[in-house]
Structures are given as C-alpha cells and as structure tokens.
Amino acid sequence: MQEDDIRARINALVEDEHDLRQRLQAGEISTEEEHARLRQVEEQLDQCWDLLRQRRARVEAGQNPDEAAARPVDEVEKYLQ
C-alpha cells in the first residue's frame, strides 16, 4: 500500500467516524451499534497510522518502504504512546 493510499484510507475512515456519530444523533443506529462500529474504525485507523509510521521509518533508515506491512490489531493496540 502506497502512502497516498494509506492517507486516502485514513480520510475515508475519519468520514465513517463522522457518519456514525451523525447517524446516532439522527436516531438511525443505536448507541451499541455506534460504539461497536467506532471501535472497529478506530482499530483500522490505528493500523493505518502504524503502517504510515513504518513506511516513513523505513525511508529514513534507507530501506524500502514497500516492505512495510500492516500489523495485527492486537499488536498495534498494545503500543504505549
């Protein structure tokens, strides 16, 4: 996945997040549905940001950024910031 593709995916996920909040306010989905879907969106966002950071780190280290790979949610979610 190229950097532009990752940024596009991040933007799409952020739009999904806003849409979910609007749908909840409009009464189109329940709080439980919103929370469950938001959790999935946030996990995917974390994976995308991690992949973007990996690519940039590989470039700085003189390595091929295309060799970076998305890590599993469990691994990404356990990072300390």
Side-chain angles (χ1 to χ4, degrees), residues 2-61:
Q2 298 296 315
E3 199 163 312
D4 288 342
D5 297 328
I6 298 168
R7 282 195 298 265
R9 179 70 179 138
I10 289 170
N11 289 334
L13 288 166
V14 169
E15 287 179 30
D16 286 351
E17 190 175 34
H18 292 290
D19 181 57
L20 285 166
R21 291 198 168 106
Q22 288 175 347
R23 291 179 63 203
L24 176 66
Q25 287 179 341
E28 296 173 8
I29 59 173
S30 69
T31 302
E32 293 80 19
E33 289 174 289
E34 186 232 16
H35 287 306
R37 181 65 183 122
L38 276 177
R39 184 175 42 253
Q40 292 173 343
V41 168
E42 289 168 356
E43 289 171 348
Q44 291 174 26
L45 275 168
D46 288 345
Q47 283 182 301
C48 287
W49 283 115
D50 175 65
L51 182 55
L52 199 56
R53 284 190 294 269
Q54 283 185 61
R55 288 183 59 83
R56 290 177 178 170
R58 291 185 74 76
V59 167
E60 288 178 20

Side-chain angles (χ1 to χ4, degrees), residues 67-78:
E67 293 177 1
R71 298 183 227 230
V73 170
D74 289 344
E75 185 175 336
V76 173
E77 292 299 307
K78 292 180 183 173

